[in-house]
Amino acid sequence: MFGAGNEGRPGGRRARLRRAAALAVVGAVLTGAAACGGDENGDGDKGGREAGADGKAPASSPAAEPGGSGDSGGPGGTGALSQRDLTALAFTDGEKIGKYTAGEFTLGAPLGEDYTADPATCQPLVSLAKGATAFDPASEVHRNVDVAEEMLGTTVAVQLRSYNGDGAAGVMKALAKAGKECAGGFVENRAVAKGQYLKVEPVKAPDHGDEAQAFRFTILDVKGSLKLYEYLTVVRSGTTTLSFRADITDTKDIGKVPDEVITAQWKKFEAGSKG
């Protein structure tokens, strides 16, 4: 979703309104869908690798309560991380990542179940929330990352989700399928608007985890006159996925999810998983 990164953070709604007002000055009302990627150099060594799940397995168990037990399945494990353990591996509220600052979504997780795709096979490109695939996360943590001083700067929704069994691998397989079958575009449906994706392109994915995929999206604004660009990168490590959705309140193409955000979150996750 265009501007989703600011929705749930303290002051985020106000910042989002300021951005919309700034764009209105130049007569552009920019509304987007949900997605992200990198540059146009192909899907990288890992982007094309699909996990060995059939995408039809039963959904995982409901999310664990904070502090719940759950299997301690780090990279290479077979059990989902508990809510407490997954939270410990995520950015903390106020954590600095170069010029960026991480924060919590106070109004609920972005890109939830009310964001759907038409056709439905494209759903993983819109959201990996519960119901997006045959595999539901057992625990999940969501963080907003942006530059607080920049009215029209890049925002990144960083979302960690852990699954039971082969759920994470199944999600990556569904994502890869969506990337191929929805390359020519699709429609994102929301409660008050629709977003038209014109193109889905695989791009170079980072060399992290067991596999990774990245996409660049070209999206048409609601007036049908402006093209917007968003990016999605998803990394899988064992039973957990790390998702990064980047956008900007502008027609500028930001080129990719900021490397420093992906790298910092991956290093924190990897170090905590080994500890």
Side-chain angles (χ1 to χ4, degrees), residues 191-202:
V192 296
K194 290 186 177 182
Q196 177 66 56
Y197 285 66
L198 301 177
K199 187 185 299 185
V200 176
E201 301 168 276

Side-chain angles (χ1 to χ4, degrees), residues 19 83 91 206 266 275:
R19 293 183 178 190
Q83 186 70 32
F91 289 138
W266 168 251

Side-chain angles (χ1 to χ4, degrees), residues 159-175:
Q159 300 173 284
L160 279 60
R161 296 181 173 96
S162 197
Y163 300 80
N164 287 319
D166 293 328
V171 166
M172 297 300 286
K173 183 173 183 179
L175 183 65

Side-chain angles (χ1 to χ4, degrees), residues 73-198:
T78 58
L81 293 171
S82 70
Q83 186 70 32
R84 180 179 57 189
D85 290 344
L86 189 64
T87 299
L89 301 177
F91 289 138
T92 58
D93 190 21
E95 184 170 345
K96 294 289 187 178
I97 309 99
K99 67 177 182 178
Y100 298 94
T101 303
E104 297 181 359
F105 287 98
T106 59
L107 300 180
L111 305 163
E113 297 175 56
D114 52 338
Y115 288 82
T116 61
D118 184 14
T121 189
C122 305
Q123 182 66 33
L125 300 173
V126 170
S127 170
L128 291 177
K130 180 179 179 180
T133 71
F135 305 90
D136 288 342
S139 56
E140 52 189 305
V141 178
H142 310 276
R143 296 289 183 261
N144 172 74
V145 177
D146 64 8
V147 180
E149 299 77 17
E150 292 186 3
M151 181 183 294
L152 302 178
T154 300
T155 63
V156 186
V158 181
Q159 300 173 284
L160 279 60
R161 296 181 173 96
S162 197
Y163 300 80
N164 287 319
D166 293 328
V171 166
M172 297 300 286
K173 183 173 183 179
L175 183 65
K177 179 180 179 181
K180 294 175 182 177
E181 297 190 4
C182 305
F186 63 94
V187 174
E188 178 200 70
N189 296 304
R190 301 189 313 214
V192 296
K194 290 186 177 182
Q196 177 66 56
Y197 285 66
L198 301 177

